[in-house]
Amino acid sequence: TERLKNGLAKTRSQLGNQLASLFGGGKIDEDVYEELETILLTSDVGVAATQALLEQIRQRVKRQSLSDTTQLKQALKDALLELLAPLEKPLVTTTHQPFVIMLAGVNGAGKTTSIGKLANLFQAQGKSVLIAAGDTFRAAAREQLQAWGDRNNVHVVAQESGDPAAVIFDAVNSAKARNIDIVLADTAGRLPTQLNLMEEIRKVQRVIGKALPGAPHEILLVLDANTGQNAISQVKAFDDALGVTGLVLSKLDGTAKGGVIAAIAQARPIPIRYIGVGESIADLRPFKAEEFVDALFS
Ligand code: GDP
């Protein structure tokens, strides 16, 4: 929890310092709500989620007959927890073998790094892992995965060049033959506006299903928390194209825009499987709503 608190330091100081002065005591009036609205908006909570949270807080104030601003902190925590709790659905990989996870996202979102961290996490749980280097555009991505695989004794299926669908198809077949538990399939970064590349990743998805009916079992969209409100349009576009089943929110440590998590919850309540709060392996953590809200306000 200390690690999480440190990881969220920037968002905590942005949000926390402002709230501390607002919740310092005094009558709850319209000015207070207005200031709270501004604070939430500047923390990237977004317009829709801000309105929803304010409405929840007003109801709580009324229901519990709160009158002093010192009582608002708990009301905000409760409202935020209610918004985020439905997103806490840890990834269960025991339903299929191999369990195929395809990662998607824009360039630099943290896909390759997350694959390394996830592979470690699953290995620590005693599961066997195979990585498919499906980012055939960036040689560096393939090399990064290969080096990581060599260090950690994880087989990486890669090809010098060529079709990402073919690479991942091979990887899934290889995983079936070797009785592997988890396949982590990297894909090249792409913007939702690059329609040909969005079509390409849909093809990757279809081809995985040909290698193993029902797969991919998880489509993980990796989002860089630094992109703030931009993350919302990414979630919508990738979800519309692929049917995203889980999110990784990376780089929460480098940003004061952690409030975007509430905006995502409001816009598209897709489970947040993991959050990234630093560069080390232990910094990719399963998302826990209560722990997150506590860390934000402690
Ligand atoms: P990709 O293009 O989506 O594969 O992105 P990469 O995995 O190559 O990550 C881009 C950069 O972000 C790298 O320098 C990573 O070390 C960094 N990164 C990824 N996740 C995190 C995180 O949670 N925190 C921090 N501070 N950096 C991260």
Side-chain angles (χ1 to χ4, degrees), residues 4-293:
L4 179 63
K5 274 176 66 177
N6 291 339
L8 292 175
K10 287 194 181 167
T11 300
R12 285 174 58 216
S13 66
Q14 152 90 14
L15 196 64
N17 291 346
Q18 294 188 66
L19 290 174
S21 60
L22 182 64
F23 296 163
K27 210 162 116 344
I28 299 173
D29 56 18
E30 277 311 306
D31 287 349
V32 170
Y33 285 117
E34 214 167 283
E35 200 172 326
L36 181 55
E37 180 175 16
T38 308
I39 294 170
L40 292 176
L41 288 174
T42 52
S43 301
D44 267 84
V45 171
V47 175
T50 295
Q51 293 315 325
L53 286 172
L54 283 174
E55 183 52 36
Q56 284 297 318
I57 292 166
R58 282 180 192 273
Q59 283 177 20
R60 281 183 164 75
V61 166
K62 212 167 147 190
R63 209 165 48 229
Q64 300 166 17
S65 307
L66 309 180
S67 59
D68 194 87
T69 59
T70 52
Q71 300 165 308
L72 278 182
K73 182 171 165 182
Q74 192 58 44
L76 175 59
K77 276 180 79 169
D78 291 347
L80 196 56
L81 187 57
E82 204 173 288
L83 181 64
L84 295 182
L87 306 191
E88 181 183 322
K89 291 203 185 94
L91 182 59
V92 176
T93 59
T94 47
T95 50
H96 301 86
Q97 197 211 17
F99 189 92
V100 181
I101 303 173
M102 181 176 95
L103 286 89
V106 305
N107 263 321
K111 291 179 296 302
T112 310
T113 313
S114 294
I115 285 182
K117 291 176 179 173
L118 284 173
N120 248 313
L121 224 133
F122 290 128
Q123 276 190 318
Q125 296 169 4
K127 295 182 173 117
S128 53
V129 178
L130 183 146
I131 292 173
D135 181 352
T136 53
F137 281 99
R138 268 197 326 138
R142 189 180 65 235
E143 283 154 17
Q144 196 181 328
L145 284 179
Q146 192 67 64
W148 193 92
D150 291 346
R151 266 204 319 277
N152 293 276
N153 226 351
V154 172
H155 185 62
V156 178
V157 174
Q159 280 169 22
E160 285 285 307
S161 63
D163 184 10
V167 175
I168 299 175
F169 184 85
D170 278 358
V172 172
N173 280 325
S174 168
K176 284 199 299 193
R178 294 161 175 244
N179 270 326
I180 295 283
D181 296 316
I182 314 261
V183 177
L184 292 164
D186 196 12
T187 61
R190 69 201 72 227
L191 290 170
T193 48
Q194 295 173 305
L195 297 181
N196 56 331
L197 294 183
M198 291 306 277
E199 193 41 55
E200 181 203 75
I201 196 170
R202 286 164 56 96
K203 180 183 158 199
V204 170
Q205 184 181 22
R206 281 195 305 273
V207 169
I208 291 175
K210 291 206 171 115
L212 181 64
H217 307 103
E218 174 83 354
I219 297 169
L220 264 188
L221 177 64
V222 183
L223 297 166
D224 177 346
N226 286 287
T227 55
Q229 292 302 295
N230 216 330
I232 308 302
S233 50
Q234 287 174 24
V235 173
K236 287 181 177 164
F238 277 98
D239 187 32
D240 290 345
L242 301 170
V244 173
T245 54
L247 304 177
V248 175
L249 194 58
S250 72
K251 309 191 206 182
L252 274 165
D253 52 310
T255 183
K257 299 180 177 182
V260 72
I261 201 166
I264 293 169
Q266 183 72 26
R268 259 322 134 99
I270 296 169
I272 297 177
R273 306 293 196 191
Y274 301 95
I275 56 174
V277 291
E279 305 236 35
S280 87
I281 303 253
D283 290 326
L284 189 75
R285 317 166 57 97
F287 173 67
K288 297 201 176 82
E290 193 163 0
E291 185 188 76
F292 185 88
V293 173

